[in-house]
Amino acid sequence: MIRYSVEEEYKGMISAYEKAGGDKSVLESKDIAKLVVHENKVLANDSIKGLKIDTEETENGVRVNFTVEKGTKVPRPVHLCFGLLPKEGLQEIIMKVDAQDDSEVSVVAHCIFPNAVKVIHKMDADINIGNNAKFDYKETHYHGEDGGIEVIPKAKVNVGKGGVWQSTFSLSQGLVGRLDYDVEVFCQEKAVAELVVKVYGRGSDDIKILEKIHLDGRGARGMAKSRLVLSDKARAEVRGETYGNAPYARGHVDCMELVNGTEAVARAIPIVEVTDDTAKVTHEAAIGSIDRKQLETLMARGLDENEAVDVIVKGILKS
Amino acid sequence: MLVVENLQLKLNGNSIINGLDLHVGKGEIHGILGENGTGKTTLANLIMGTNSYRPTGGRIIFEGEDIAGLSVSERAKKGITLAWQEPARVEGLTVKDYLSLSAKNGGADQIERYLLMVGMEPKQYMDRDIDATLSGGERKRIEMASVLAMRPKLAILDEPDSGIDIVALPLLLNGIMEMNRQGSSVLLITHSEKVTEIAHRVSVLCAGKIINSGAPLETNQWFKNNCLTCPHINEPAH
Ligand SMILES: Nc1ncnc2c1ncn2[C@@H]1O[C@H](COP(=O)(O)OP(=O)(O)OP(=O)(O)O)[C@@H](O)[C@H]1O
Ligand SMILES: [Mg+2]
């Protein structure tokens, strides 16, 4: 395998990040907390007061301890950037997050694999959100057009009393490859969990999504939302599960999958279960095709059919 | 510019369009007046190629070429566009993006002006989505603005006045006349003879056929005298 020098790698990552629509000045600014990892090498790591990012390079990746100290309100989003520039390789990120009581942070993660032909990206996260802490996590993937990539994100999240966990996972640039997304959240008293997944599958993409929320504390609230669009021979299975186990828990599962063409296959499996008679969990699941009239509206303005599909898909995955 | 000859459409065994002839000249606002269910929207769909409607007989000639077999996109690229009676909502598409993609062939910097032309404050609407949160009248006005932005050769407007209040209606009619002055021909479909006052020529549609055609003043009056009281809606022409 060709090894890049650290400097080359950093340049490569920044340019890939820019190409993917990222703002390069963010990665160059010292005032913004960030972590940039290429393969198993940490290329940049800037912490700020009240926020610690400790890393350890392992054989195939990096171990990250991400700590937001008690009461710290991080003013600007923290940027994480994980990637692999060569065509082949394995990257394993083992992440431990400790957002202590009353802290507040927003994290923007970019996962960049522009050249992947045979790449595996694994993320194992163990996340603890303290009492009344608020954590907003947005992860966006940028893949190439080969589709030779496996993405396997797994996370267990515990949200303390009155805490808030919000996550959005987006994969709509480049081919997905194989995705096995698995997130499980446990909500304590009055805790809130909002999970959103947005994926555009094409080619022979193979997508599995599992969003699981346990509403274990009194008055806990959960929302598991997914938006998928599938074209070509892509297939997807989305499971949204919510368990209302405590008094006055409220949950909602919302899966929407749109299929474009006749060969893509979508499955949605919402599971809702309530073990307390004052808890309430609802679900809606819809699988449909792209609306003919929406398409024709855009085509009547001069767009080709596939340009019109793109506009509609972007809209669906945006909201 | 547009010549429709002996157009026919049968749907589920019913004749919806029944040997319809129509001629829209270059630079003309041509009004189509018709009661509910006379085939106005069907005619619009046939000319635009939408709703998978293909004539079961007759021809649709645009600038000398039969377009009846072309896709919606191909017709739009030739300069034809349609403002729907009930425009579609598109989740996540902003007014700004919708108007910019309509204005692809020039005029992108003018999209704010097109909103003003239909009586909408750009600041208030540019970043809104054209989804279910817009009111019916707002969505209709944006539809008009997007047609204005496209600067088409032929604009088919299917009841641009429906759902529009009396304050906005004159603005909208002004917009249509302005578009016409800038070179667009207009097929102005409506059931209101107030709206066809701005037309150069008016045709009356009944049971899928043009039953009278002429100057606006006389034809509007004829429509009022004959069609508003006609009990034979959806029966063969008299
Ligand atoms: N798929 C169909 N099968 C049978 N009849 C149809 C079908 N689609 C439309 N029609 C009929 O065709 C006629 C014309 O419909 P169209 O929508 O063109 O009327 P319109 O003049 O636009 O009416 P409105 O003023 O209510 O908009 C109506 O009687 C309608 O019921
Ligand atoms: Mg109609």
Side-chain angles (χ1 to χ4, degrees):
Chain A
M1 195 202 286
I2 310 162
R3 306 299 311 198
Y4 289 66
S5 77
V6 170
E7 202 174 313
E8 272 175 87
E9 281 180 10
Y10 195 55
K11 270 196 207 143
M13 282 291 281
I14 287 193
S15 103
Y17 173 79
E18 251 195 321
K19 266 195 213 142
D23 175 6
K24 161 174 137 180
S25 66
V26 164
L27 293 189
E28 287 168 345
S29 159
K30 281 276 165 202
D31 308 332
I32 293 176
K34 68 177 117 17
L35 172 68
V36 181
V37 175
H38 180 247
E39 292 187 310
N40 67 341
K41 284 208 288 299
V42 176
L43 305 181
N45 180 354
D46 294 307
S47 297
I48 54 165
K49 194 171 172 287
L51 174 85
K52 274 202 314 225
I53 306 175
D54 295 320
T55 58
E56 179 198 333
E57 293 175 2
T58 62
E59 193 190 338
N60 293 313
V62 181
R63 205 183 285 280
V64 182
N65 281 338
F66 187 103
T67 309
V68 194
E69 287 169 1
K70 192 169 185 310
T72 303
K73 307 233 187 301
V74 181
R76 290 211 264 170
V78 178
H79 285 257
L80 306 181
C81 187
F82 302 110
L84 210 113
L85 298 175
K87 290 182 181 168
E88 295 187 13
L90 165 67
Q91 182 180 55
E92 259 178 315
I93 310 288
I94 298 170
M95 174 100 89
K96 213 171 154 65
V97 173
D98 182 16
Q100 296 175 358
D101 295 353
D102 305 306
S103 65
E104 230 178 273
V105 68
S106 153
V107 174
V108 180
H110 296 271
C111 299
I112 302 176
F113 307 92
N115 311 311
V117 175
K118 207 174 158 199
V119 164
I120 300 176
H121 169 73
K122 270 188 176 177
M123 163 104 75
D124 262 301
D126 179 1
I127 299 167
N128 194 52
I129 309 300
N131 296 338
N132 298 312
K134 193 170 178 224
F135 202 108
D136 185 89
Y137 181 76
K138 287 196 174 59
E139 177 171 326
T140 306
H141 277 244
Y142 305 96
H143 292 185
E145 284 301 324
D146 187 87
I149 178 163
E150 280 183 58
V151 175
I152 312 171
K154 301 225 182 297
K156 283 236 179 332
V157 186
N158 182 59
V159 190
K161 240 177 163 175
V164 178
W165 167 259
Q166 290 170 311
S167 69
T168 303
F169 177 92
S170 313
L171 205 177
S172 56
Q173 283 195 40
L175 287 178
V176 174
R178 192 174 83 82
L179 171 66
D180 188 353
Y181 176 93
D182 176 349
V183 172
E184 187 169 16
V185 187
F186 299 84
C187 290
Q188 310 311 324
E189 195 179 320
K190 291 205 163 145
V192 175
E194 287 174 15
L195 312 180
V196 180
V197 170
K198 304 174 191 180
V199 180
Y200 185 17
R202 291 176 292 136
S204 46
D205 287 344
D206 182 8
I207 299 158
K208 257 205 182 119
I209 310 266
L210 172 60
E211 295 177 303
K212 211 169 182 176
I213 301 177
H214 303 266
L215 302 170
D216 294 336
R218 190 185 177 89
R221 286 190 288 131
M223 162 82 153
K225 174 172 162 177
S226 50
R227 292 285 178 270
L228 278 86
V229 182
L230 304 171
S231 286
D232 308 327
K233 291 186 173 160
R235 17 179 83 237
E237 180 183 290
V238 179
R239 299 172 79 96
E241 304 184 12
T242 298
Y243 300 89
N245 298 325
Y248 303 103
R250 291 285 177 272
H252 186 60
V253 177
D254 172 5
C255 320
M256 182 172 104
E257 295 177 64
L258 282 190
V259 173
N260 180 34
T262 53
E263 290 184 293
V265 182
R267 296 179 81 187
I269 310 167
I271 297 179
V272 298
E273 194 181 291
V274 166
T275 54
D276 184 285
D277 47 356
T278 59
K280 189 171 166 184
V281 182
T282 50
H283 73 81
E284 54 189 314
I287 296 184
S289 49
I290 291 192
D291 186 73
R292 190 79 228 151
K293 189 161 172 186
Q294 292 183 349
L295 269 181
E296 288 182 342
T297 297
L298 299 171
M299 287 163 73
R301 302 292 177 264
L303 267 58
D304 287 325
E305 180 159 351
N306 38 10
E307 291 172 334
V309 169
D310 268 1
V311 169
I312 292 167
V313 168
K314 282 207 185 96
I316 290 165
L317 298 181
K318 190 180 94 181
S319 53
Chain B
M1 159 138 304
L2 177 76
V3 180
V4 177
E5 282 174 7
N6 192 26
L7 192 65
Q8 324 248 356
L9 181 72
K10 272 198 175 137
L11 290 175
N12 305 319
N14 302 321
S15 280
I16 311 293
I17 299 293
N18 257 320
L20 184 145
D21 293 306
L22 179 72
H23 188 132
V24 181
K26 197 167 160 50
E28 182 178 82
I29 300 181
H30 194 115
I32 300 279
L33 267 176
E35 293 286 285
N36 289 147
T38 48
K40 300 185 298 296
T41 297
T42 309
L43 173 64
N45 278 319
L46 280 167
I47 300 171
M48 192 71 234
T50 40
N51 212 16
S52 311
Y53 282 1
R54 294 292 178 267
T56 41
R59 304 202 301 162
I60 305 170
I61 314 285
F62 181 71
E63 293 190 318
E65 184 191 347
D66 194 334
I67 57 165
L70 300 183
S71 72
V72 179
S73 304
E74 286 165 333
R75 296 184 208 205
K77 283 180 182 147
K78 293 198 176 295
I80 308 176
T81 198
L82 167 64
W84 270 257
Q85 181 174 354
E86 282 160 23
R89 315 281 182 152
V90 186
E91 198 188 336
L93 178 63
T94 61
V95 169
K96 189 169 156 192
D97 288 346
Y98 183 44
L99 296 185
S100 322
L101 69 85
S102 308
K104 210 161 96 186
N105 307 314
D109 48 329
Q110 299 201 4
I111 50 180
E112 295 202 355
R113 198 173 70 86
Y114 297 121
L115 277 177
L116 289 170
M117 276 171 79
V118 296
M120 298 178 94
E121 179 52 51
K123 267 200 208 74
Q124 203 181 329
Y125 288 100
M126 288 292 255
D127 296 322
R128 291 276 302 271
D129 284 356
I130 57 166
D131 60 8
T133 62
L134 286 174
S135 79
E138 286 169 337
R139 179 65 189 88
K140 291 275 289 198
R141 281 146 79 173
I142 287 161
E143 191 67 1
M144 232 357 256
S146 88
V147 168
L148 292 171
M150 207 182 142
R151 294 168 163 268
K153 287 185 188 167
L154 174 67
I156 308 162
L157 310 178
D158 191 359
E159 302 208 22
D161 53 314
S162 71
I164 301 295
D165 62 39
I166 49 167
V167 181
L169 186 60
L171 271 167
L172 207 86
L173 295 180
N174 263 325
I176 295 170
M177 289 189 284
E178 172 68 18
M179 161 165 79
N180 176 247
R181 273 195 292 276
Q182 290 179 9
S184 298
S185 303
V186 179
L187 190 63
L188 179 56
I189 299 175
T190 175
H191 54 78
S192 159
E193 73 285 352
K194 290 266 176 305
V195 171
T196 47
E197 279 173 12
I198 66 163
H200 300 111
R201 200 178 164 77
V202 176
S203 295
V204 177
L205 184 65
C206 179
K209 214 176 152 100
I210 302 295
I211 56 169
N212 193 8
S213 195
L217 226 60
E218 296 87 79
T219 317
N220 288 343
Q221 191 58 45
W222 189 91
F223 175 74
K224 256 163 89 175
N225 295 344
N226 292 277
C227 297
L228 298 188
T229 54
C230 173
H232 304 299
I233 287 171
N234 275 343
E235 282 184 17
H238 2 264

